[in-house]
Amino acid sequence: MNPKAIFLSRSPLVLVALMLVAVLALAQTPPQICGTAPNDWCAAPPGDPCGHHRNVVACRADPACYGIPYRGESVLACRLDARGFALNCPTVGCTSIAPKAARQ
């Protein structure tokens, strides 16, 4: 048998093996930290009264709540207001815990 025929006859097995390796590699990838993607909406800690807000508008409307800042990479540093809502980056969650800058 010529080498090309051997390769073509085993191609389905090679593809299955490569797909299995890829699936196993993805399964072992550590979980992503919430807030590193611009479209994340991170959950507040259990029992947090601001956790029921599901978007920035609702969170900002509640004076007892603070924004969870974006943790991903950005070309410019994110500028946050006193309640943790980003002026030039996405806000990725809502919590009753004040940001560090507001606590000082």
Side-chain angles (χ1 to χ4, degrees), residues 32-67:
Q32 185 180 16
I33 297 170
C34 187
T36 58
N39 60 346
D40 282 349
W41 189 256
C42 304
D48 190 316
C50 295
H52 68 278
H53 297 305
R54 300 288 178 222
N55 59 52
V56 178
V57 174
C59 184
R60 192 183 301 256
D62 187 337
C65 298
Y66 300 91

Side-chain angles (χ1 to χ4, degrees), residues 3 5 18 22-24 27 31 33 38 42 44 46 49 52 55 60 67-68 72-74 81 86 88 92 100 102:
L18 290 175
V23 167
L24 290 174
I33 297 170
C42 304
H52 68 278
N55 59 52
R60 192 183 301 256
I68 296 174
E73 293 184 19
S74 179
D81 66 12
N88 63 336
V92 295
K100 289 177 186 174

